[in-house]
Amino acid sequence: MLSATENTTMVAQRGVIARYRDYLPVSETTPVISLGEGSTPLIPCTRLSQRVGNGCRVLVKYEGLNPTGSFKDRGMTVAVSKAVEQRTAAVICASTGNTSASAAAYAARAGIRCAVILPAGKIASGKLVQAYAYGARVVAIDGNFDDALRIVRQLGERPEFAIVNSINPDRIAGQKSAAFEVVEDLRNAPDYHLLPVGNAGNISAYWAGYCEFHTLGKATKLPVMLGFQAAGSAPIFHGRVIDQPETLASAIRIGNPASWTAANAAIRDSSGAIDVVSDDEILDAQRWLASHEGIFVEPASAASIAGLFKCCDAADAAYPFRATPSEGATIVCTVTGHGLKDPEAIRIDASPTVAAMETDVLRVIGF
Ligand code: F0G
């Protein structure tokens, strides 16, 4: 049997802080609150690459394999470790579901309290279950994510609370680790990086991470950043706050992103773009990725894949990968959360119950 300290040390040795301590705002005395997050697979995808064509290589960064099933754990290990170092009594966040699941888990691990403010009726069931299971105090509000974040900003004025939304720079610092891992896996930056955009922290964090490793000489190039918002929740694309954002991809149902300015800078400085994908395109991409590559992601995560398809299928100038200079480009798509987070998003075709006989079963299988 391992002692509690040994066990904690072992997990912490695998986590984001252990792997990238030198690039994070932690010191020798910062307690490390970790669940062994990060180091997720960058999966080469043959069928996706074939669909893009032109000799392009597509790899998927599967963030659903983090301890609570989303990329949020990368930033949460840093934010909660710092909160504990600063002797904060409780962490609070607004969330569309994944931040709250992650905050609740890391607070439980740290032995501190956690309160999560959520838009009522708009959280995927798997995520809501997580917040309760990890023991968070859950407050549902009659409003959307943007309303919840406004309240959290107000509560954050009180000394007993540390905000662990991505307005906390420790979160962004931790999330940069995903870009570091991509560079280390590829031994360079990719040519293009595609990802879903909601509150816009992640696109900002990836860009910061790529720039940092480029400056350090670990990458010789920088990727073009391509962000995708759901069509009904696309404030950055439209350049204005959306008061009533709507999308089935509930994780990115956000009308007034906190990291709007940083995201615009990432897009501008990387010669990138922000585009929209419809809910149908998102659900088609989700099913395609699961059934063609064995990678099951939640709807919001599939926005990057839907965006990839949109870029490839459009026969116009928005065709970034087919332009001659890009032949053979390396393309990374981040898929941000696990498919099991939102089981209701998948249609289950009711198949008939048959007799417990081989012949009847074979008939249904269709061989
Ligand atoms: N994908 C998933 C699965 C998410 O949960 C989120 C954000 C995003 C993409 C967008 O990332 O906000 O950095 O642009 N979820 C937040 C939450 C808002 O509360 O869980 P972003």
Side-chain angles (χ1 to χ4, degrees):
M1 260 291 266
L2 293 170
S3 72
T5 326
E6 282 170 321
N7 194 20
T8 304
T9 311
M10 281 175 59
V11 175
Q13 274 168 359
R14 299 192 32 199
V16 160
I17 296 177
R19 186 164 171 184
Y20 294 112
R21 167 175 288 281
D22 294 347
Y23 309 98
L24 296 171
V26 293
S27 72
E28 285 305 312
T29 54
T30 310
V32 177
I33 309 301
S34 173
L35 287 161
E37 60 292 317
S39 301
T40 54
L42 183 63
I43 304 174
C45 291
T46 314
R47 292 188 185 83
L48 258 186
S49 302
Q50 278 165 358
R51 173 139 184 197
V52 174
N54 225 29
C56 292
R57 180 166 65 127
V58 183
L59 303 101
V60 167
K61 183 74 170 154
Y62 192 16
E63 290 289 276
L65 296 191
N66 277 294
T68 76
S70 87
F71 71 100
K72 305 287 181 177
D73 297 341
R74 295 178 178 278
M76 205 56 75
T77 181
V78 182
V80 173
S81 295
K82 296 292 286 181
V84 172
E85 184 176 29
Q86 287 148 14
R87 303 194 183 286
T88 312
V91 292
I92 49 166
C93 64
S95 185
T96 55
N98 281 323
T99 299
S100 47
S102 185
Y106 283 79
R109 182 122 181 111
I112 61 174
R113 293 200 293 168
C114 174
V116 302
I117 323 295
L118 310 175
K122 298 292 183 184
I123 307 296
S125 62
K127 304 175 191 181
L128 199 53
V129 165
Q130 285 180 291
Y132 282 103
Y134 294 128
R137 179 63 60 92
V138 176
V139 186
I141 59 155
D142 183 14
N144 59 31
F145 169 84
D146 306 294
D147 299 316
L149 187 57
R150 174 175 46 78
I151 295 165
V152 163
R153 285 183 196 269
Q154 290 161 355
L155 290 174
E157 300 287 319
R158 295 164 177 263
E160 61 269 35
F161 294 130
I163 299 176
V164 293
N165 280 104
S166 56
I167 54 174
N168 177 339
D170 297 330
R171 277 275 315 278
I172 302 290
Q175 283 175 213
K176 287 189 305 186
S177 62
F180 297 161
E181 289 174 16
V182 171
V183 170
E184 288 180 349
D185 282 349
L186 297 176
R187 298 199 176 81
N188 208 340
D191 297 302
Y192 296 93
H193 193 118
L194 284 71
L195 76 174
V197 173
N199 212 25
N202 211 27
I203 190 168
S204 316
Y206 266 99
W207 179 242
Y210 281 127
C211 289
E212 193 166 334
F213 265 26
H214 184 253
T215 305
L216 291 170
K218 290 175 182 281
T220 60
K221 58 187 173 186
L222 286 164
V224 173
M225 301 297 297
L226 301 174
F228 295 92
Q229 301 194 292
S233 303
I236 302 180
F237 177 77
H238 292 297
R240 63 179 161 82
V241 171
I242 306 294
D243 288 329
Q244 304 286 346
E246 275 311 335
T247 171
L248 276 167
S250 56
I252 52 173
R253 186 173 166 270
I254 293 174
N256 188 9
S259 298
W260 194 327
T261 309
N264 270 337
I267 292 157
R268 183 195 62 225
D269 297 346
S270 72
S271 308
I274 191 103
D275 203 349
V276 289
V277 283
S278 70
D279 281 3
D280 283 346
E281 288 171 323
I282 287 173
L283 293 178
D284 284 350
Q286 181 196 30
R287 273 190 296 267
W288 196 98
L289 189 66
S291 59
H292 289 77
E293 295 287 2
I295 302 172
F296 181 31
V297 303
E298 65 169 286
S301 307
S304 60
I305 306 298
L308 179 72
F309 292 161
K310 185 172 180 181
C311 291
C312 298
D313 297 344
D316 59 26
Y319 227 120
F321 323 124
R322 296 249 174 123
T324 319
S326 306
E327 276 202 19
T330 298
I331 302 166
V332 171
C333 297
T334 294
V335 290
T336 42
H338 202 286
L340 291 173
K341 292 265 191 182
D342 192 357
E344 285 78 23
I346 300 297
R347 202 190 67 234
I348 300 174
D349 296 323
S351 53
T353 302
V354 296
M357 304 283 292
E358 185 185 355
T359 44
D360 293 80
V361 171
L362 257 182
R363 184 166 42 77
V364 176
I365 294 173
F367 282 97

